[in-house]
Amino acid sequence: MEGASFGAGRAGGAIDPVDFLKQPQTLLRVTTWIFSIVVFGSIVNECYVNKDSHHPELLCIFNENESACSYGIAVGVIAFFGCIFFFVVDLYFQQISSVKDRKRAVLLDLGFSGFLAFLWFVAFCFLANQWQRTTLTRGFSQGADAARAAITFSFFSIIIWVVLALRALQRYRLGTDMSLFATEQFGADPSASYPGYPGGSGVESTETYQSPPFTETLEPNPKGYQVPAY
C-alpha cells in the first residue's frame, strides 16, 4: 500500500519521468518555484529606483524601507533553492528503501513547507503594509507594477506552500497508521513466532466425530448374500 511506506508503495521501482511530472505535488513545486523567481526577480530588477532626479541613489520602492526589499529577496531565494532540493527528493523518493529514511524525508518536507508558508505570510503582510505607506513619486511609479507583482505572488505562494504542507501531513499520517497496523499484527522481536490458530478446549467430542470418507466396514458374510458353491 502507498501509506505503508510513507507514499513510496513501489520503493525501488523504476522512475517514470512522464508520470513524475504529472503528479500534483510536482506541479505544485514547479509552480511555487516560478512564483519565487517572480518575487525576488521583480524586487531585484525593478524595485530599487531613484526617488526623483534630485536623489540619484537607488531606494527600495516599499516606503524606502530597505528591510522590506531584503526580506522579500531572502524569502524568494530560500523558496527557490528549497523547491529544487525537494524536487530532487521527490524524484528519488521511490528509490529510498528504508522506511525510516522515507519518514525523515516526509517530516522534513512537512516542516519546511509549513515554515515557508509562514515566511511568505510575513512577506505578504510586510510588503503590502509598506506599499500602502509608499508615496508614489515619478521615479517610484516606474516600479509600481513590479511591486504589485511581488505582493500578489507572495500571496499565491502562501496558498501553494500550505497545500504542500497538507499533502506532506497526509503522507505522514498514512505511513504512521499503516506502521501501527503492521506493529499490532506482528511482534517486534524478529525471533517471535507467528500467531497460531486459536486452540479449543482440549476435549474432543465423540458425537461430532465422523468416519473418514470412502471407508466401509467389510463383513466376511454380508446379510442376504451367500457364497455360491462350485
Side-chain angles (χ1 to χ4, degrees), residues 76-118:
V77 171
I78 293 173
F80 176 82
F81 288 106
C83 288
I84 296 176
F85 173 78
F86 283 100
F87 184 87
V88 176
V89 171
D90 292 341
L91 182 62
Y92 290 99
F93 192 73
Q94 298 290 349
Q95 306 299 317
I96 303 176
S97 58
S98 174
V99 177
K100 292 183 178 180
D101 291 340
R102 289 195 295 271
K103 180 179 179 180
R104 294 190 187 99
V106 173
L107 287 176
L108 182 62
D109 186 12
L110 174 61
F112 185 82
S113 298
F115 180 64
L116 258 294
F118 172 75

Side-chain angles (χ1 to χ4, degrees), residues 51 59-67 130 134-135 137 140:
K51 186 175 182 179
L59 301 174
C60 177
I61 196 174
F62 293 99
N63 197 29
E64 302 182 22
N65 190 343
E66 178 65 25
S67 298
Q130 293 300 309
T134 300
T135 302
T137 61
F140 279 2

Side-chain angles (χ1 to χ4, degrees), residues 38-179:
V38 173
V39 173
F40 78 78
S42 299
I43 296 176
V44 170
N45 294 327
E46 300 184 41
C47 288
Y48 284 96
V49 295
N50 297 322
K51 186 175 182 179
D52 50 44
S53 57
H54 301 288
H55 298 81
E57 69 275 9
L58 296 178
L59 301 174
C60 177
I61 196 174
F62 293 99
N63 197 29
E64 302 182 22
N65 190 343
E66 178 65 25
S67 298
C69 288
S70 299
Y71 184 81
I73 295 172
V75 176
V77 171
I78 293 173
F80 176 82
F81 288 106
C83 288
I84 296 176
F85 173 78
F86 283 100
F87 184 87
V88 176
V89 171
D90 292 341
L91 182 62
Y92 290 99
F93 192 73
Q94 298 290 349
Q95 306 299 317
I96 303 176
S97 58
S98 174
V99 177
K100 292 183 178 180
D101 291 340
R102 289 195 295 271
K103 180 179 179 180
R104 294 190 187 99
V106 173
L107 287 176
L108 182 62
D109 186 12
L110 174 61
F112 185 82
S113 298
F115 180 64
L116 258 294
F118 172 75
L119 291 182
W120 279 121
F121 174 76
V122 175
F124 169 74
C125 295
F126 192 15
L127 295 178
N129 177 266
Q130 293 300 309
W131 180 246
Q132 290 179 347
R133 299 181 180 183
T134 300
T135 302
L136 286 180
T137 61
R138 183 175 181 179
F140 279 2
S141 61
Q142 298 177 359
D145 292 338
R148 296 189 184 98
I151 296 172
T152 301
F153 284 97
S154 296
F155 176 76
F156 291 154
S157 296
I158 299 172
I159 300 175
I160 296 181
W161 282 105
V162 168
V163 174
L164 287 172
L166 292 176
R167 288 183 62 86
L169 179 61
Q170 183 182 18
R171 294 167 69 188
Y172 175 74
R173 286 180 174 177
L174 287 173
T176 303
D177 292 342
M178 293 306 300
S179 298

